[in-house]
């Protein structure tokens, strides 16, 4: 079964800022949802090789070598096929969608030969609605094919010399099962392609010039966007790729950032930790504001803050609080979880879940992350209107009343609510940022009450979130379990990075959660989370670790850990959610949290390296060895 499925890391990402597709290193699109990130799939062979559907372009022989790269400074993916007879290049991209056209999306696959001759096979095998809806199709002579299901349609346009009937040398198409197969041969300098379009448009012939114009316009868009970055630090290539990856996962009509463009990819192959991440988490997207502003992308940060404030305005006010922990990209909150029983899952990893049952959990930390991003945006000139401030004041009053409530926590465990230290510490952040905003802008606010509750939270964390025997801050009240989410305590200004309590916590995490440069978020065996199996190290936590080391004065080690983390990226500079024991990528791919934390770590580490972090007291460092 493993041979049927590519490695999670063997993929590149293309998109049009409303949806995205994964392309494996053999030229197969095995994941594509349309018309939005969170829409049902059209191609999903990554989750079921037989029932999921795919679009492939490959040499007609099995004797070839393939390599992938992004066209520099763009989100245009190039897959190179090298055979004894010739070398071909498959160029995949999605023209950036018009923000007003949310149902029509184009997926372009240009195949050209740069040396010798290449015989090729292309197949289009759609399976609509996660393979649950049957479809019919019809060929329009000389124009292409249209596939129709009850709810969706996909058009295959004729490109250049490709015809559905006939025998022209550049490509001949024929019916193949529920799809179309195209075979042909190209010499050096020749080009053909496949263009798919959603929305039920009639098929038509696309000329090579039209295809090339789309390519040029897409290249221009990404290069101009990339040039807006103000980052001039040591890791420009990786930071730029991470920034473009975050942009690819942003739904342009609303500014919402999805956690990942995929669903069901396992945190443990063969296990049940298979979640749908095609939604906008308040937490993830709030952290992205820090990354975007750090690179100079003020417009993107402003758009997300506006989206966030719209959610605050709605103030659902049910038992889960004024904010849901996640939303669909359009701001709706219907995320009912179900299992696709007919899908076998990636390498047998079942169940395959769509929707997300964690949507109604109480996770207190989101209020701190949201308020921190709003405060940060304010410092960059993105000020709140009066109505927005009024709504935030009500939200902070709610935090005052509920910060000591048991909750599910940042990791969305399903082992029952607890009094998590991270959630309370983030409530401190929420109130602290609210007080700062009120004072700096002269806004009306019950500051004495907010300050009283902020200080009460501080005392709680220092007393009940601290374990005297372990000499460390712990996951929740009454446990000895460590939690890597607490690595952001110095970043958020809750504790001084040279405080003995923090240095001993960092030391304890080194001993239990850190494996070389890789960091586990917690120990599931020591803290049952309601799920079977284990997981890999969390890439987000590993980059948080870099920042914590740098702020605490261990600059040499911070830089080494960061450089090691860069070696775990895939061949295109992309990261999934987790990294396994042998360096394999695990979980949904690519993961926004992984990339935004890379950007933040790079920006902060650059600053520390350029300005110095000062003297490290050898007593406080507890004999720590810096390599």
């Amino acid at each position: 079964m493993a041979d049927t499925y590519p490695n999670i890391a063997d993929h590149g990402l293309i998109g049009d800022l409303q949806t995205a597709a994964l392309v494996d290193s053999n030229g197969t699109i095995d994941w594509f949802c349309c018309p939005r990130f969170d829409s049902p799939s059209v191609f999903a062979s990554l989750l079921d090789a037989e029932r999921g559907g795919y679009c492939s372009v490959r040499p007609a022989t099995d004797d070839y070598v393939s390599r992938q790269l992004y066209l520099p400074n763009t989100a245009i993916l190039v897959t190179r096929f090298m055979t004894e007879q010739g070398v071909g290049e498959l160029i995949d991209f999605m023209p950036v969608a018009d923000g007003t056209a949310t149902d029509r999306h184009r997926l372009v696959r240009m195949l050209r030969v740069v040396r010798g001759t290449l015989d090729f096979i292309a197949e289009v095998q759609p399976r609509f609605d996660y393979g649950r809806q049957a479809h019919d199709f019809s060929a329009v002579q000389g124009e292409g094919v249209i596939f129709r299901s009850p709810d969706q349609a996909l058009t295959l346009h004729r490109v250049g010399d490709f015809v559905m009937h006939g025998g022209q040398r550049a490509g001949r198409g024929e019916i193949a099962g529920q799809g179309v197969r195209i075979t042909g041969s190209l010499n050096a300098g020749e080009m053909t392609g496949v263009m798919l379009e959603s929305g039920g448009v009639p098929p038509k012939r696309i000329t090579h010039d039209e295809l090339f114009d789309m390519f040029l316009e897409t290249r221009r868009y990404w290069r101009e966007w990339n040039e807006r970055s103000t980052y001039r630090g040591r890791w420009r290539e990786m930071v730029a790729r991470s920034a473009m990856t975050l942009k690819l996962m942003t739904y342009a009509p609303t500014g919402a950032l999805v956690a990942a463009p995929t669903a069901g990819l396992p945190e443990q192959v063969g296990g049940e930790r298979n979640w749908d991440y095609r939604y906008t988490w308040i937490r993830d997207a709030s952290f992205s504001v820090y990354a975007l502003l750090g690179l100079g992308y003020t417009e993107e940060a402003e758009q997300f803050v506006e989206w966030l404030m719209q959610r605050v305005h709605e103030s659902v006010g049910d038992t889960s609080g004024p904010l849901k922990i996640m939303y669909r990209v359009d701001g709706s909150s219907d995320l009912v979880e179900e299992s696709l029983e007919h899908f076998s899952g990636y390498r047998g990893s079942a169940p395959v879940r769509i929707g997300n049952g964690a949507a109604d959990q109480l996770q207190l930390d989101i209020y701190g992350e949201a308020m921190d991003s709003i405060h940060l945006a304010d410092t960059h000139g993105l000020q709140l209107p009066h109505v927005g401030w009024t709504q935030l004041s009500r939200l902070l009053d709610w935090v005052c009343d509920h910060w000591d409530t048991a909750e599910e926590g940042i990791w969305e465990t399903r082992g029952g609510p607890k009094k998590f230290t991270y959630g309370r510490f983030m409530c401190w952040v929420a109130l602290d940022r609210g007080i700062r905003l009120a004072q700096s802008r002269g806004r009306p606010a019950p500051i004495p009450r907010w300050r009283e509750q902020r200080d009460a939270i501080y005392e709680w964390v220092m007393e009940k979130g601290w374990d005297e025997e372990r000499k460390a801050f712990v996951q929740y009240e009454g446990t000895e379990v460590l939690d890597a989410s607490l690595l952001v305590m110095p970043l958020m200004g809750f504790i001084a990075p040279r405080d003995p309590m923090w240095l001993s916590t960092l030391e304890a995490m080194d001993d239990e959660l850190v494996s070389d440069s890789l960091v586990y978020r917690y120990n599931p065996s020591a803290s049952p989370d309601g799920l079977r199996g284990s997981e890999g190290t969390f890439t987000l936590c590993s980059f948080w670790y870099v920042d914590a080391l740098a702020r605490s004065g261990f600059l040499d080690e911070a830089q080494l850990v960061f450089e090691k983390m860069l070696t775990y990226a895939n061949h295109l500079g992309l990261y999934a959610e987790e990294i396994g024991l042998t360096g394999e990528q695990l979980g949904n791919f690519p993961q926004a949290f992984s990339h935004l934390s890379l950007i933040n770590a790079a920006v902060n580490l650059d600053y520390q390296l350029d300005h110095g972090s000062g003297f490290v007291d050898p007593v406080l460092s507890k004999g720590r060895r810096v390599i």
Side-chain angles (χ1 to χ4, degrees):
M1 178 179 291
D3 293 340
T4 309
Y5 295 87
N7 294 326
I8 293 173
D10 291 343
H11 290 87
L13 182 73
I14 59 173
D16 65 359
L17 309 187
Q18 293 188 25
T19 186
L22 291 187
V23 185
D24 77 11
S25 56
N26 289 312
T28 297
I29 296 177
D30 51 18
W31 181 258
F32 175 59
C33 298
C34 198
R36 301 189 323 201
F37 294 106
D38 54 359
S39 299
S41 65
V42 177
F43 304 129
S45 60
L46 189 59
L47 297 182
D48 192 299
E50 295 181 2
R51 303 176 186 86
Y54 61 90
C55 175
S56 67
V57 178
R58 65 186 187 277
T61 176
D62 291 334
D63 187 17
Y64 68 91
V65 174
S66 64
R67 296 287 186 269
Q68 280 186 317
L69 70 152
Y70 277 111
L71 195 68
N73 303 316
T74 77
I76 297 173
L77 184 65
V78 181
T79 306
R80 289 170 52 81
F81 300 115
M82 289 162 276
T83 73
E84 291 186 356
Q85 290 73 37
V87 175
E89 293 183 342
L90 175 63
I91 302 171
D92 284 316
F93 62 94
M94 295 182 68
V96 175
D98 183 342
T100 61
T102 57
D103 60 341
R104 294 181 61 178
H105 303 273
R106 294 170 293 171
L107 202 163
V108 178
R109 318 202 72 190
M110 296 168 49
L111 179 64
R112 68 176 184 174
V113 172
V114 296
R115 181 172 60 82
T117 300
L118 184 72
D119 297 328
F120 69 89
I121 301 174
E123 281 196 76
V124 181
Q125 295 286 347
R127 300 293 185 269
F128 296 101
D129 188 25
Y130 309 106
R132 296 181 296 192
Q133 286 189 0
H135 66 270
D136 56 30
F137 54 91
S138 57
V140 179
Q141 179 70 32
E143 302 294 336
V145 182
I146 186 167
F147 305 89
R148 293 188 184 274
S149 75
D151 297 328
Q152 288 181 288
L154 186 69
T155 301
L156 168 62
H157 295 293
R158 172 184 175 183
V159 174
D161 292 333
F162 155 62
V163 291
M164 274 305 300
H165 302 287
Q168 295 190 30
R169 186 172 178 279
R172 176 173 180 172
E174 59 185 6
I175 303 303
Q178 301 177 62
V180 171
R181 178 183 296 113
I182 304 164
T183 58
S185 180
L186 296 174
N187 292 322
E190 294 180 332
M191 182 182 77
T192 187
V194 171
M195 176 171 156
L196 300 171
E197 187 170 6
S198 66
V201 298
K204 65 178 181 179
R205 180 179 179 183
I206 306 295
T207 68
H208 288 166
D209 286 344
E210 288 175 312
L211 210 65
F212 196 63
D213 285 344
M214 294 181 206
F215 166 80
L216 292 177
E217 178 61 22
T218 304
R219 186 181 68 177
R220 181 200 62 78
Y221 173 86
W222 285 107
R223 287 185 173 174
E224 289 183 357
W225 187 85
N226 186 63
E227 288 173 359
R228 287 173 48 203
S229 173
T230 58
Y231 179 74
R232 299 293 182 268
R234 295 165 175 79
W235 298 284
R236 295 187 190 181
E237 185 174 351
M238 288 300 294
V239 167
R241 181 53 54 198
S242 288
M244 280 186 278
T245 303
L246 291 179
K247 183 68 172 176
L248 281 170
M249 289 189 277
T250 301
Y251 185 66
T254 64
L257 174 76
V258 297
T262 57
L265 293 179
E267 297 174 14
Q268 179 187 32
V269 174
E272 66 170 338
R273 299 169 185 259
N274 318 311
W275 314 109
D276 188 349
Y277 276 11
R278 298 171 298 155
Y279 310 114
T280 300
W281 267 253
I282 294 294
R283 174 187 309 113
D284 303 37
S286 294
F287 275 118
S288 74
V289 172
Y290 188 93
L292 291 168
L293 290 176
L295 302 182
Y297 290 113
T298 306
E299 292 178 11
E300 285 78 3
E302 182 177 14
Q303 191 178 19
F304 170 72
V305 171
E306 290 176 355
W307 180 91
L308 175 60
M309 289 308 302
Q310 290 172 5
R311 308 290 79 76
V312 174
H313 291 326
E314 293 166 0
S315 296
V316 293
D318 60 16
T319 56
S320 63
L323 289 174
K324 296 282 189 180
I325 69 167
M326 71 181 88
Y327 298 84
R328 292 187 179 274
V329 291
D330 62 358
S332 61
S333 55
D334 177 18
L335 283 81
V336 176
E337 184 174 297
E338 61 177 306
S339 297
L340 301 178
E341 302 294 345
H342 63 292
F343 268 10
S344 61
Y346 176 82
R347 297 184 180 177
S349 303
V352 175
R353 298 180 177 90
I354 57 172
N356 200 305
D360 291 323
Q361 288 186 354
L362 174 63
Q363 298 177 17
L364 291 172
D365 64 279
I366 64 172
Y367 299 101
E369 288 131 0
M371 285 301 304
D372 187 63
S373 67
I374 292 169
H375 174 260
L376 184 64
D378 180 84
T379 64
H380 283 73
L382 308 178
Q383 296 184 37
L384 291 171
H386 168 70
V387 173
W389 174 252
T390 301
Q391 293 287 347
L392 282 184
S393 296
R394 293 174 184 170
L395 181 149
L396 292 173
D397 286 339
W398 183 92
V399 171
C400 287
D401 293 334
H402 294 86
W403 67 262
D404 199 28
T405 307
E407 46 142 352
E408 276 79 12
I410 179 176
W411 306 128
E412 296 169 5
T413 58
R414 303 195 178 188
K418 297 178 176 64
K419 295 191 173 184
F420 286 101
T421 305
Y422 181 77
R424 276 139 189 76
F425 139 59
M426 274 296 179
C427 286
W428 178 93
V429 173
L431 293 170
D432 178 74
R433 301 315 189 253
I435 293 168
R436 294 189 193 190
L437 278 171
Q439 291 176 331
S440 65
R441 297 298 180 187
R443 298 292 177 91
I447 291 179
R449 185 188 184 217
W450 293 356
R451 183 180 292 119
E452 177 186 19
Q453 293 302 309
R454 182 196 64 181
D455 295 347
I457 297 170
Y458 182 89
E459 295 299 334
W460 188 101
V461 172
M462 290 301 180
E463 294 175 8
K464 297 181 179 180
W466 172 262
D467 184 87
E468 185 61 32
E469 291 188 8
R470 296 215 66 177
K471 299 294 182 185
F473 293 103
V474 291
Q475 189 175 60
Y476 56 87
E477 180 182 6
T479 187
E480 295 183 352
V481 175
L482 302 176
D483 191 322
S485 65
L486 300 178
L487 285 166
V488 301
M489 293 173 80
L491 172 64
M492 290 295 177
F494 182 86
I495 191 170
R498 308 293 181 82
D499 189 304
M501 295 176 72
W502 172 248
L503 292 175
S504 63
T505 298
L506 192 58
E507 191 79 16
M509 289 187 185
D510 285 342
D511 293 339
E512 183 170 309
L513 299 183
V514 179
S515 176
D516 192 26
S517 62
L518 304 174
V519 181
Y520 291 93
R521 52 183 180 172
Y522 58 91
N523 183 351
S525 62
S527 178
D529 54 15
L531 297 166
R532 296 187 300 272
S534 60
E535 60 182 20
T537 58
F538 229 65
T539 300
L540 163 72
C541 298
S542 298
F543 285 120
W544 277 350
Y545 181 57
V546 170
D547 188 78
L549 287 172
R551 288 175 186 274
S552 298
F554 307 110
L555 276 178
D556 286 346
E557 189 167 356
Q559 185 170 5
L560 178 60
V561 170
F562 185 81
E563 294 285 358
K564 285 183 177 180
M565 281 304 301
L566 298 185
T567 69
Y568 288 104
N570 82 340
H571 57 292
L572 296 167
L574 305 183
Y575 291 86
E577 182 179 34
E578 301 181 11
I579 297 171
L581 290 175
T582 59
E584 71 274 19
Q585 303 269 1
L586 295 171
N588 285 301
F589 178 90
Q591 179 81 1
F593 238 157
S594 299
H595 287 277
L596 66 89
S597 61
L598 182 154
I599 293 170
N600 292 340
V603 171
N604 292 338
L605 183 56
D606 271 318
Y607 182 86
Q608 297 286 347
L609 290 170
D610 290 340
H611 296 85
S613 62
F615 175 72
V616 179
D617 190 317
V619 175
L620 297 183
S621 70
K622 292 197 166 203
R624 183 181 187 85
R625 182 170 63 91
V626 179
I627 300 173

